[in-house]
Amino acid sequence: MSVVDHNAIGLSPRISEADVADYIALLKPRVMSLVIFTALVGLMIAPGHVHPVLAFTSILCIAVGAGASGALNMAYEADIDAKMSRTANRPIPRGRVTPAEATAFGMTLAFFSVMTLGILVNWFAGALLAFTIFFYVVVYTMALKRWTAQNIVIGGAAGALPPVVAWAAATGSLSMEPLLLFLIIFFWTPPHFWALALFRSDDYARAGIPMLPVVAGPDATRLQILLYTIVLVAVAFAPWPLGYFDAVYGVTSLVLGAGMLALAVNVYRHRIGSRALRATRKLFAFSIFYLFALFATLLLEVVVHAVAPSIW
């Protein structure tokens, strides 16, 4: 007769059901794609020449660092992700990955991304990447998100740092241009995420997250979206008259800014019913296009300068 040791069974190692797709999802690939693009622009507009291998290494490390932040964010927020329809299908709420596994995964990626950037490129860029990961995970995720309605405003600094890190990787220093890119993303973040929060406010309320629409109400949020959009349009336009970016960028920023501002005004005006919902969804969608097109213009300027300098 055999004896079954139930305690031993309970202590046996868990066999993970996760596959590659689950770990890719932990990296927040949509967020990572925006990080990669803004970092690439920061790298490309930097003065001087960067060896292609070092340029690729820099962008890869920044991308992996962003993925590490996403994994650590999901590990810490597993409880609230399970309560929100927008995030309930993530790997941890579905039981595909445990918080401990996500934490180990994120910490490993964070360590190797920072060390690789520091050793192979320069330690200033490595230190900035480490600070970016720390700010997103500790300051935003752990300290701000559950405690203040200003979480996305202050925490937005983490999402605005990738082009700064990339510039530092290319030059070993900082200058006004990457700081201007930082400010553009910083002031873009509140209207972008508050538009999302307006039509997802029930989700945030259910999870107990003090997003602005939950704490201050939708009308106050609409006003804040409008005010931040006004500042954003001004900040995004400023590099042209200040002489940092060319006229094509300046005109593009005005056209895109007019669209962004018109949609923000629409969100402010329409406050109930399906028109209000459509207005917030349109602003959220356009805000993504706005940032992409603005940075794409800077990238285009660099390419044209390199290929046919006499045209510009």
Side-chain angles (χ1 to χ4, degrees):
M1 180 182 295
S2 63
V3 178
V4 178
D5 188 343
H6 294 283
N7 291 328
I9 294 175
L11 294 173
S12 62
R14 171 185 177 270
I15 300 175
S16 176
E17 297 180 359
D19 55 24
V20 174
D22 293 312
Y23 280 96
I24 291 176
L26 286 177
L27 302 177
K28 294 190 175 182
R30 284 188 294 180
V31 175
M32 183 190 285
S33 64
L34 188 60
V35 167
I36 291 171
F37 184 66
T38 58
L40 177 63
V41 173
L43 187 77
M44 293 296 290
I45 69 171
H49 173 74
V50 182
H51 192 282
V53 173
L54 293 182
F56 175 79
T57 300
S58 299
I59 297 300
L60 179 62
C61 288
I62 294 170
V64 172
S69 299
L72 292 170
N73 169 270
M74 287 194 196
Y76 188 78
E77 294 187 346
D79 58 329
I80 59 177
D81 279 352
K83 298 175 183 177
M84 299 174 63
S85 59
R86 186 172 68 89
T87 56
N89 203 39
R90 286 175 172 175
I92 299 177
R94 287 172 57 211
R96 304 282 294 178
V97 180
T98 68
E101 289 168 341
T103 299
F105 181 58
M107 292 295 292
T108 301
L109 292 182
F111 176 79
F112 281 105
S113 63
V114 170
M115 294 302 293
T116 301
L117 188 62
I119 293 171
L120 297 184
V121 183
N122 67 70
W123 283 109
F124 181 49
L128 281 176
L129 180 59
F131 176 75
T132 303
I133 297 170
F134 171 84
F135 198 94
Y136 184 81
V137 175
V138 177
V139 177
Y140 169 65
T141 301
M142 296 182 179
L144 294 175
K145 190 168 183 178
R146 302 184 192 223
W147 303 109
T148 173
Q150 294 301 307
N151 48 20
I152 208 65
V153 178
I154 305 169
L161 280 170
V164 181
V165 178
W167 179 285
T171 66
S173 63
L174 290 182
S175 185
M176 183 56 68
E177 290 91 337
L179 297 180
L180 289 170
L181 297 183
F182 171 89
L183 289 174
I184 290 169
I185 302 173
F186 181 81
F187 285 107
W188 167 86
T189 301
H192 169 72
F193 277 101
W194 283 336
L196 172 67
L198 275 174
F199 62 82
R200 292 286 190 178
S201 58
D202 291 345
D203 244 5
Y204 287 113
R206 185 165 52 252
I209 303 174
M211 293 295 283
L212 194 62
V214 177
V215 174
D219 289 349
T221 304
R222 289 182 169 88
L223 176 60
Q224 290 297 311
I225 286 174
L226 181 58
L227 294 176
Y228 269 93
T229 301
I230 293 171
V231 175
L232 168 64
V233 172
V235 169
F237 174 70
W240 177 31
L242 291 175
Y244 290 103
F245 302 146
D246 292 339
V248 173
Y249 167 85
V251 173
T252 302
S253 74
L254 282 178
V255 173
L256 292 171
M260 188 83 176
L261 189 56
L263 289 173
V265 169
N266 218 27
V267 168
Y268 183 75
R269 289 178 56 222
H270 301 301
R271 305 190 175 199
I272 57 173
S274 59
R275 295 183 71 183
L277 180 61
R278 283 198 302 271
T280 54
R281 287 183 179 274
K282 284 181 179 179
L283 177 61
F284 177 74
F286 183 81
S287 66
I288 299 171
F289 171 76
Y290 170 89
L291 192 66
F292 173 81
L294 201 63
F295 276 66
T297 303
L298 290 173
L299 196 58
L300 178 64
E301 287 185 355
V302 173
V303 172
V304 173
H305 270 302
V307 175
S310 59
I311 294 178
W312 227 265

